[in-house]
Amino acid sequence: MSELSKMSTNDLLNYSYGKEKTTHTSIRRACIILAMALVFMLMPLLPGINTHFTADAASVTASGRTTDLVYVRNSASTSSKSMGLLKKGTNVTISREVFTSKTSTSSTSRWYQISGGGKKGYIRADLIKVTKYANVSAMTTDDLNYRKGAGTSMSRVGTAGPGASVRVCLPAKAAGSNATWYRVYYRGRYCFMSGDYLAFTVAGKKGMAGKILAKATNGGSARYVGTLDKNNCSRVMCIKGDNGSYVPQGMAYTGSRYYIVFGMDGTKQRIVTYSTNGKRLSSSGFPFYIGHPNAMTWNPETKNCYIFKGSQKTIYTWNPATNRYGKATTPYSSSGVAYDKNTKKIYATSLSGVRVYSADGRFRHQKYFNRCYHSGKTYVQDCGAGRGYVIHALSSGNKFGLNYLDIYRVSDGKYLGSFKVYLGELESVIVDNKGYVQLLVNHGGTYNDWIWKTPINVNDLK
C-alpha cells in the first residue's frame, strides 16, 4: 500500500497517555501491587518486548520493519522532503514516536523517527510494523495521568500514583510541544506518560567509583576523576517545598524517609518529609528564626535530625517523632554534616577540613583531617557518608554551573578524588540503602528542584 493511501484508523495496540500531576485515590494506590503482578503475568504475551534494562533514557529505542515500499521523509509530514525509498521488509530502528494531532491516536496521525537501510528520517506509523519495544525500568515521581496519546489534550485513561513501576518502551513527542513523553507499559496496557514525572533506574558503574582510589593524598589540590551530569545521573524525585518555603538547603535520609530543610536568610524555614517514592508526607515549621540552614543529617542514635548553619558552632535539632526542636553546640564551626550508619560516627565538613564526632549527641571530637582545594571561589555545602567514606559537596563561584563532589576515606584521612557536577547548585548529599550517592540539587529559585541518583556507589570503594 502506498504512503498516501488511507488505512483503517483502528490502532493495532491499545494506547493511553500520561499528563502532569493530578489527584490520586487510595484505592488506586492499593492496586499497584496487583497491577504489577498482572504486568508480569502478561509480559510473555506482549509482541517482541525484550528483557534488556538500560540506565539511560536516550537509549530507549524500538525495532520495526517497513510494510510496503515507503518514502523516508525529512519531517513528520507527507509534504516534507523525501530522503529516499526503503523496500518492503526493511528493518529499522525507531528512536521516537511523533504525534501530528493533539487529539487523534490514529496510525495516520503518528510518525516514527527511524534509521535503517542507509536512511534516516520519518515514516508514518501505518507503514511500520513494530517488532520489538524497549523495556526500560522507571518509576513515577508524582501523581499523574496516563493518556491515549502524546500530550495533555489526549483522552485520559487513568491515574498513577508516585512510585508506580512502569516499563518505558519508546520516547514520544506531542503535537505542538517539545516536551518529552514516553510510551510505557503499565497495568497490562500500552499508554503514555509525561517524561517530567518519570525517574529512570541507573545501574551501578564500578569503574567510575573504583578508579578514584588510584592516587590517594593528604588533601592538596583537587584531582578530577569524572563528571556527573544528566547523561549519567537520573532523577529520583521532585522537591517542591511547602507554605512559602521553596529553596532546598539540606537533606537527611533514614532509609524510608527523606527530610528536606528549606529556606534562606529572611525567609520561612521548614522541614518537609517525603517518602522514598516522592510523596510529600508532612511539613513542619521552626518555632524560632534560625537564619540560613546549610546542612542536615538524621542520627538514629539520638532519633534527631541535626541542622547546621554555615560555619557556626550552634546547631539545631529536630525530632521527627515528636516534632520537637532544640539547640546544641559543636566544638568547632562546620557547614556540612553526615551520619554514617556503618561506622556510627558523625562527620562534619568545613573549608578547613573534615572532623569526626561521636554520635551520642555530645559531639565529642575524635579526629580531624585536611580537605582538598579547588581553584577559584568555592562554597561549602553539605556532605554525605557511608562505609567510612565522606562525600563532600561544594559549589563554585557559578553555583548553577560547576559544582564539586570530593571523596575522603575516614580510616586514614585520605582524599581520594573529585567529581565535577553539572546539574545545578549542589545543596546536599546522602548515601541510599544500596550504597548509591544521591544529590539534592537546587535548579535556580523554582518550585521544582530534584534529588538525583548518581552512578557512584560506596560499596565499590574498597
Side-chain angles (χ1 to χ4, degrees), residues 379-444:
Y379 301 89
V380 173
Q381 302 284 5
D382 203 353
C383 64
R387 296 186 63 86
Y389 296 92
V390 177
I391 302 95
H392 190 198
L394 302 99
S395 56
S396 69
N398 179 8
K399 294 183 179 182
F400 295 100
L402 173 61
N403 287 246
Y404 309 103
L405 272 187
D406 303 332
I407 302 184
Y408 302 89
R409 187 169 55 213
V410 177
S411 61
D412 56 6
K414 295 293 186 180
Y415 160 65
L416 304 181
S418 298
F419 288 84
K420 294 183 178 181
V421 183
Y422 295 96
L423 291 168
E425 183 180 3
L426 183 52
E427 298 285 2
S428 190
V429 187
I430 59 99
V431 175
D432 67 20
N433 285 342
K434 295 184 178 180
Y436 286 102
V437 175
Q438 295 187 16
L439 311 176
L440 175 63
V441 176
N442 173 6
H443 290 281

Side-chain angles (χ1 to χ4, degrees), residues 6 12 32 49 71 99 157 160 168 226 281 283 289 296 309 323 326 337 342 357 428 449:
K6 185 175 182 181
L12 299 177
I32 288 179
I49 285 189
Y71 284 104
F99 284 73
V157 176
V168 178
L281 301 177
S283 176
Y289 177 73
M296 183 165 67
K309 297 172 62 175
N323 197 34
V337 62
N342 302 108
Y357 294 117
S428 190
D449 302 304

Side-chain angles (χ1 to χ4, degrees), residues 345-357:
K345 302 292 183 183
I346 292 287
Y347 306 134
T349 54
S350 65
L351 280 174
S352 60
V354 180
R355 298 189 181 276
V356 182
Y357 294 117

Side-chain angles (χ1 to χ4, degrees), residues 36-74:
M36 290 176 62
L38 179 60
V39 167
F40 287 108
M41 291 174 60
L42 294 176
M43 278 289 183
L45 304 178
L46 300 179
I49 285 189
N50 68 48
T51 57
H52 174 68
F53 287 79
T54 179
D56 186 355
S59 64
V60 180
T61 60
S63 300
R65 62 174 178 268
T66 58
T67 58
D68 207 332
L69 179 67
V70 298
Y71 284 104
V72 179
R73 298 290 181 176
N74 186 50

